Amino acid sequence: MGLRPLGDKVVVKPSEEEEKTPGGILLPDTAKKKPQEGKVVAVGNGRILENGEIKPMSVKVGDTVLYAKYGGTEVTIDGQDYVLLDEDQVFAIIEG
């Protein structure tokens, strides 16, 4: 991937959207929910504090995370969709 985030930015590959309802009805693109879960594919170096120190990132490449539903910037690189988020738009790491 040719995308390297700066500072406290995180690049997430969103999970696939639901194609069917639990009852088996196929959903058109306009009815699909916007994903809020994805896998971290790149992280920046961390936030630069006022004293010049760099605060390390809380997430790392490979983490599965929950993020703000309408947060971040959507980008497409080589036909693949990604979301570029500030670290504080990542709410949780899914463990297990």
Side-chain angles (χ1 to χ4, degrees), residues 7-80:
D8 66 338
K9 304 294 188 244
V10 179
V11 179
V12 175
K13 180 179 176 188
S15 299
E16 294 297 319
E17 299 168 346
E18 290 293 321
E19 298 287 330
K20 287 192 224 180
T21 66
I25 298 172
L26 290 174
L27 296 171
D29 287 341
T30 56
K32 292 178 184 175
K33 284 186 174 178
K34 186 173 175 82
Q36 292 177 261
E37 179 181 320
K39 186 168 288 268
V40 175
V41 294
V43 296
N45 293 332
R47 178 177 300 240
I48 298 175
L49 304 175
E50 288 183 23
N51 64 5
E53 292 181 24
I54 296 177
K55 178 183 176 228
M57 300 290 282
S58 314
V59 297
K60 62 185 180 312
V61 173
D63 285 345
T64 301
V65 296
L66 294 176
Y67 56 89
K69 188 170 192 170
Y70 295 103
T73 301
E74 296 176 354
V75 295
T76 302
I77 297 176
D78 296 330
Q80 180 61 54

